[in-house]
Amino acid sequence: MVSKVIQYTTIVFISTVAISSIAYAAWWDSKRRNDPAFRKKIRKEHKRIHKHAKAAEERAKQQQTEDLKEALEMIKVEPVPPTAEEREQYFMQHVGVGEQLSVQGPAFYVPAALSFYRALRVYPSPVELIMIYQKTVPEPIFKIVMDLTSMDTRERAEGYYHYFPPPYMNVEVKQILQLGEPGESEKGPRRIVLVATKDLQPGEEIYKEHPVVAQLDMDLEGTSRYCSHCFKEILPFQSLSPVHDLLLSTYCSGECEMLASTQSQNLLFGRGPRVPDGVALDQKERSEEAEIERRAYQQAFADFLKASNWTQVLLVARFCARQVAEEVKKLEPQPLSLLERSRLPEPAAGSPNYTFFDHVERLKYLDIKPIEMVMLENHLLKDVLSKAVDGLEELVSLDKYLMMKGKMAYNAIGVAFAGGRDDKPEPKGHIETWEWSRTPYGTNRQIGSALYRVSSNLTHSCSPSVRPTFPTGTNELHLVANRAISKGEELTMAYTYTHADGDESEEDARRRRRTRLARGWRFACECETCAGKKEGLPGVATLPQPILEHAI
Ligand SMILES: C[S@@+](CC[C@H](N)C(=O)[O-])C[C@H]1O[C@@H](n2cnc3c(N)ncnc32)[C@H](O)[C@@H]1O
């Protein structure tokens, strides 16, 4: 009986609901078709719901980003195990935890991704591991790992100028609008400049810095006159010449010899172990024939350098080798104290640990054409690197090589003591293949050239406010104020010899230095002295060299 009543009431209820639903649907459909105001209201309502849903989604996304940022900060301060063995254990442990969490459902995706990210931090080839993750880790978790990676990369890139140059150097990097460019606007091309962070007196030393890489001019390399590492003048009978060095480099002290060897010389021209003993490298043992082959390629490279007298290819080679030394250091069971000291001081306490490449990444570069000679030097360098460690030639694939060489050509500064030397041989070959470095004394008076992290940002002026000096008789650069400089003022150096020589008129000197600037660095000078005198030279930086010569 009870069930019959229920049945009956249920039927009545269902029919009532069904009838009213049908009636409502019919009314709604007719309104929708015939009443434009009603249609508008529905559309508005739809939009409102959509907007709310989107805002909720955005909020959830933002919250996740905030949470990830916080987690990333925490992970970054977690110590990385010091030895290779401990790092391997740490890696295995976190991959294991990540795998376990990833099968527990969406609530565990973030902690799973954090574990995979921890493992990624200590893996020697992160790119390779990311490719493995892509194939094996569930997609939403992989996406979070990638978000963490790009967050870290972005923070390092954007935070760079926050930490660098460090405050004790009394300068900061600013970006200013480039003048004279077509379409000049707030969004136009920008020029990077160095600006004083305090008032400076004439003659005041603003900062000093060691080079990232340095190279003696080739006519001095192997002559025992200057130290191949620090450029110090060597007293007679005091030079150290390593026996197996194919470039015949010489040093002023055992320390310079050791630093040069660990930073680049051994990898490029020596016959010591390719990486220090005790560093486990996943490479097959080298046979004696392989070592003989390695020496033959080193010899070919050294012969080419001596015959060409060029140094920029060596600056690139040394830069690559320093990157290798830096990576090797991470794999060292116990970091060698000398290697430790061979690192440049880092910007400031608490800053991310910037690599050599971070410092060079932001520098502008000249467009180097892959002409025959450039292809040849690239091949010779590739051979030397690949015979040292398999796969190292990737560091100088043609694109990367052209960019790195362009950076050296644009930014290297000439090192000259007390006004420079008179005995530098005339460069050989066509003028277009000559190498230029930035120095107020002229490239023809330098003893070598070097790439500096901060000074690379100095722009040129024909009446410069600062000058690079080398008062310690080494390639340590000390920047000195030529005149009083106010806080906030842009610092400028002369990239070339600016004064009138002998019976040269002021106008001839002006044309000479503008030609030099256009040839060496491919720009038309916009400094105060030149302002208003660059008639008929718009877009000069894009013209090919012969036209450039004619135009100026
Ligand atoms: C070696 S970079 C110096 C770093 C440079 N400040 C930057 O923007 O990256 C040289 C480049 O800076 C610009 N530059 C330097 N001095 C200049 C000047 N006096 N007039 C116009 N452009 C200049 C040119 O674009 C030149 O190619």
Side-chain angles (χ1 to χ4, degrees), residues 161 174 176 178-179 181 190-194 362-366 407 409-412 438 455-462 490 492-493 495 514 517 520-528 530 534 541:
Y161 290 125
K174 283 256 158 81
I176 58 163
Q178 194 149 338
L179 298 175
E181 289 285 333
R190 289 181 174 262
R191 201 139 60 85
I192 290 179
V193 299
L194 267 192
R362 285 160 187 78
L363 302 180
K364 279 191 185 168
Y365 55 95
L366 277 189
K407 287 195 189 240
Y410 220 27
N411 297 291
R438 302 188 291 166
S455 306
S456 285
N457 295 299
L458 285 164
T459 40
H460 164 88
S461 169
C462 297
E490 180 186 340
T492 54
M493 69 173 275
Y495 286 8
R514 286 178 69 81
L517 293 171
W521 299 276
R522 300 185 203 155
F523 68 88
C525 185
E526 292 170 1
C527 78
E528 280 170 19
C530 293
K534 49 179 180 172

Side-chain angles (χ1 to χ4, degrees), residues 358-475:
D358 281 315
H359 294 299
V360 172
E361 195 185 8
R362 285 160 187 78
L363 302 180
K364 279 191 185 168
Y365 55 95
L366 277 189
D367 179 24
I368 305 278
K369 297 274 175 272
I371 55 169
E372 220 171 293
M373 266 309 191
V374 174
M375 300 288 279
L376 173 64
E377 65 197 39
N378 178 229
H379 268 290
L380 291 168
L381 177 56
K382 265 187 186 163
D383 285 339
V384 169
L385 293 178
S386 69
K387 300 300 166 204
V389 179
D390 292 338
L392 219 53
E393 67 280 10
E394 288 299 317
L395 281 177
V396 285
S397 60
L398 185 60
D399 280 359
K400 286 189 196 147
Y401 180 73
L402 295 176
M403 180 188 71
M404 287 307 306
K405 192 168 179 204
K407 287 195 189 240
M408 299 303 165
Y410 220 27
N411 297 291
I413 290 183
V415 178
F417 304 140
R421 60 170 168 150
D422 300 316
D423 60 353
K424 184 166 163 147
E426 273 282 305
K428 292 185 236 166
H430 194 274
I431 192 162
E432 313 226 327
T433 64
W434 292 7
E435 292 184 332
W436 309 98
S437 347
R438 302 188 291 166
T439 155
Y441 307 108
T443 307
N444 58 337
R445 299 185 73 83
Q446 69 177 36
I447 62 161
S449 50
L451 185 84
Y452 298 88
R453 295 189 292 179
V454 179
S455 306
S456 285
N457 295 299
L458 285 164
T459 40
H460 164 88
S461 169
C462 297
S463 30
S465 59
V466 300
R467 63 183 184 278
T469 65
F470 302 90
T472 59
T474 71
N475 51 28

Side-chain angles (χ1 to χ4, degrees), residues 21-300:
S21 303
I22 291 165
Y24 177 73
W27 169 84
W28 195 87
D29 192 44
S30 131
K31 275 284 249 185
R32 185 178 61 81
R33 271 197 261 157
N34 305 320
D35 183 348
F38 184 69
R39 274 208 302 274
K40 202 170 161 195
K41 198 171 145 205
I42 293 173
R43 270 203 304 272
K44 230 171 146 183
E45 186 65 6
H46 263 236
K47 260 192 193 158
R48 196 181 62 80
I49 293 170
H50 187 70
K51 211 169 133 190
H52 271 269
K54 232 181 148 188
E57 199 182 307
E58 250 340 283
R59 271 199 305 277
K61 239 191 204 166
Q62 237 170 24
Q63 185 57 48
Q64 185 177 8
T65 309
E66 288 305 312
D67 291 349
L68 286 183
K69 254 189 201 161
E70 212 172 288
L72 187 64
E73 287 311 310
M74 276 167 60
I75 293 178
K76 272 164 44 183
V77 294
E78 285 173 12
V80 171
T83 69
E85 217 167 83
E86 284 169 301
R87 274 198 295 272
E88 196 176 328
Q89 264 178 14
Y90 177 95
F91 170 80
M92 298 301 285
Q93 180 200 337
H94 284 287
V95 167
V97 172
E99 277 170 350
Q100 278 172 17
L101 291 172
S102 58
V103 292
Q104 318 255 331
F108 292 85
Y109 283 175
V110 170
L114 293 175
S115 279
F116 286 124
Y117 184 74
R118 281 188 174 92
L120 184 65
R121 277 178 83 214
V122 296
Y123 196 72
S125 351
V127 177
E128 193 186 312
L129 185 60
I130 285 176
M131 279 153 72
I132 298 172
Y133 279 170
Q134 192 176 18
K135 288 187 199 136
T136 54
V137 169
E139 202 189 325
I141 301 179
F142 176 71
K143 219 182 139 288
I144 303 173
V145 176
M146 291 317 293
D147 283 350
L148 285 163
T149 313
S150 53
M151 237 179 233
D152 191 26
T153 314
R154 208 174 321 126
E155 195 182 294
R156 287 168 66 81
E158 286 167 6
Y160 182 82
Y161 290 125
H162 172 69
Y163 293 110
F164 199 76
Y168 61 80
M169 292 185 86
N170 304 317
V171 291
E172 62 186 354
V173 173
K174 283 256 158 81
Q175 295 195 25
I176 58 163
L177 270 179
Q178 194 149 338
L179 298 175
E181 289 285 333
E184 184 185 323
S185 75
E186 272 305 300
K187 285 193 181 134
R190 289 181 174 262
R191 201 139 60 85
I192 290 179
V193 299
L194 267 192
V195 167
T197 54
K198 66 168 203 173
D199 291 342
L200 298 158
Q201 301 306 314
E204 187 173 341
E205 184 176 298
I206 305 165
Y207 64 72
K208 51 185 176 188
E209 63 173 336
H210 283 292
V212 175
V213 278
Q215 178 55 50
L216 274 180
D217 285 345
M218 283 312 287
D219 67 298
L220 295 174
E221 188 70 72
T223 59
S224 301
R225 283 175 61 190
Y226 297 96
C227 175
S228 296
H229 182 71
C230 75
F231 291 12
K232 195 188 256 174
E233 200 166 352
I234 303 179
L235 297 173
F237 311 112
Q238 286 196 352
S239 76
L240 295 172
S241 320
V243 192
H244 300 298
D245 190 284
L246 292 177
L247 203 63
L248 309 177
S249 298
T250 49
Y251 301 97
C252 66
S253 67
E255 182 172 333
C256 276
E257 181 187 340
M258 178 61 102
L259 285 172
S261 169
T262 49
Q263 287 175 8
S264 64
Q265 194 73 4
N266 176 53
L267 194 85
L268 300 171
F269 305 107
R271 60 190 292 187
R274 294 158 295 129
V275 293
D277 293 331
V279 172
L281 206 66
D282 191 15
Q283 297 248 343
K284 53 188 179 307
E285 260 308 303
R286 292 297 179 108
S287 62
E288 205 173 310
E289 290 90 76
E291 280 306 312
I292 292 170
E293 200 186 13
R294 175 187 172 202
R295 293 295 279 172
Y297 282 110
Q298 287 181 335
Q299 186 68 62

